[in-house]
Amino acid sequence: MMNSLQDWPEPIVRVQSLSESGLPMIPDRYVKPLSDRPSSNRPENGDANIPIIDLTGLTDDETELSRSTMDRISLACRDWGFFQVVNHGVSPGLMDQARETWRSFFHLPMEIKQAYANSPKTYEGYGSRLGIEKGAILDWSDYYYLHYLPLTLKDYNKWPGSPDYCREVIDEYGKELVKLGGRIMKVLSINLGLNESHLQNAFGGENIGACVRVNFYPKCPQPDLTLGLSSHSDPGGLTILLPDPEVPGLQVRKDDRWITVKPARHAFIVNIGDQIQVLSNANYKSVEHRVIVNSGVERLSLAFFYNPKSDIPIKPVRELVSADKPALYPPMTFDEYRLFIRLNGPKGKSQVESLKSPRCH
């Protein structure tokens, strides 16, 4: 099966190049079916937004959050699968520096970026599509994907060498996000009635996986016909997103409506991935989300994926399984799950749902 992942099925077209060429209409390859277009199901969300939670008191050593804050996080994990965090311990200066460093990379000449072109075998590097289905409808975005942990996969040569200090900024940002991910995992464990280190240990303790995908959404002449990223739930454990502060685009599915997230200043957007849905036996939900684009301005975001060690079987935690609520999912390693996703590309919530034990359908 891995042989089929050696290369892309068709020549790669950079969406940024399409956008900058000034074309008045998007190519057919990017036109979504009517039911998936943002215009066909306009969100009537008004002032709705995902919960914003203040993490003051949550440090690497202490979980000093009030009961009401813990409850709000619990409710967000069960009800939304998404929440924003402020006062999270990561310096605003580093957040801005990371975002603007990556923005500078995407504005480098194409020949410099092309030196980092990726393949579907690992996805690591500069890319423009997810999934390897020939003739698939594509998303209006380019991206850069890289591994941060485990150290055996961390390869500075696959990280951009420009702009100056790029690798140092990525390294520092990754170090801080790993720490933040660990702090949030403690809260999620406690809220499930488990020991604070339970979920972390299920992920492999210190031996977790962590990777970054920087998403670049160029201006689009027909934003109502396409998406920057198709609807999907995240396959990993926990996603910590640094959104574009000026340009909304992330939409979260709630009660069959799409809610456009309004980012708070210097907040991270945290969402539950499929692996935590499995470990929690679906007490916590990974929720469908997608990205819309616009004709007036580009958008850039950094998604940090905090994942289980790739070869540990992930299955519902024993304490969360009972006669009333049997285990909903069979054991599967993250490596096995990720391969499943990479072959199929983003497909709503159907990936994790298809893994449910036959008796639970």
Side-chain angles (χ1 to χ4, degrees), residues 344-355:
N344 292 293
K347 284 200 171 39
K349 278 279 288 185
S350 60
Q351 316 267 32
V352 71
E353 295 307 321
S354 70
L355 297 184

Side-chain angles (χ1 to χ4, degrees), residues 32 36 123 129-139 213 227 229-235 253 258 274 286-290 337 339-355:
K32 301 292 178 187
D36 293 345
Y123 275 78
R129 68 177 291 167
L130 303 165
I132 56 163
E133 182 190 334
K134 193 166 186 178
I137 302 292
L138 301 176
D139 290 338
R213 191 177 70 227
L227 290 168
L229 193 54
S230 294
S231 173
H232 66 288
S233 63
D234 288 348
R253 195 175 186 118
W258 289 102
D274 294 345
S286 67
V287 167
E288 272 184 83
H289 50 287
R290 67 182 189 182
Y337 189 70
L339 180 60
F340 181 60
I341 298 281
R342 283 178 175 171
L343 289 168
N344 292 293
K347 284 200 171 39
K349 278 279 288 185
S350 60
Q351 316 267 32
V352 71
E353 295 307 321
S354 70
L355 297 184

Side-chain angles (χ1 to χ4, degrees), residues 148-160:
Y148 189 79
L149 288 173
L151 293 175
T152 50
L153 290 180
K154 186 179 186 180
D155 182 355
Y156 287 119
N157 294 320
K158 291 183 178 172
W159 296 17

Side-chain angles (χ1 to χ4, degrees), residues 11-40:
I12 289 293
V13 176
R14 302 301 177 192
V15 176
Q16 189 176 5
S17 298
L18 289 175
S19 174
E20 290 174 356
S21 73
L23 79 180
M25 298 167 65
I26 63 173
D28 290 347
R29 289 297 305 273
Y30 299 90
V31 176
K32 301 292 178 187
L34 266 171
S35 59
D36 293 345
R37 293 179 195 173
S39 50
S40 68

Side-chain angles (χ1 to χ4, degrees), residues 62-139:
E62 300 288 340
T63 309
E64 298 279 331
L65 296 177
S66 69
R67 185 67 255 167
S68 67
T69 299
M70 296 288 283
D71 288 347
R72 289 187 67 219
I73 295 171
S74 179
L75 191 62
C77 291
R78 293 165 192 272
D79 209 27
W80 283 88
F82 271 80
F83 52 99
Q84 298 192 59
V85 294
V86 294
N87 296 320
H88 38 63
V90 180
S91 123
L94 179 61
M95 296 168 76
D96 292 342
Q97 188 182 23
R99 189 193 306 104
E100 295 318 308
T101 298
W102 276 110
R103 196 184 297 278
S104 298
F105 169 81
F106 280 99
H107 285 286
L108 288 170
M110 187 56 75
E111 60 270 19
I112 296 177
K113 293 181 291 203
Q114 282 294 105
Y116 301 99
N118 72 349
S119 84
K121 186 168 185 207
T122 67
Y123 275 78
E124 197 164 14
Y126 176 48
S128 296
R129 68 177 291 167
L130 303 165
I132 56 163
E133 182 190 334
K134 193 166 186 178
I137 302 292
L138 301 176
D139 290 338

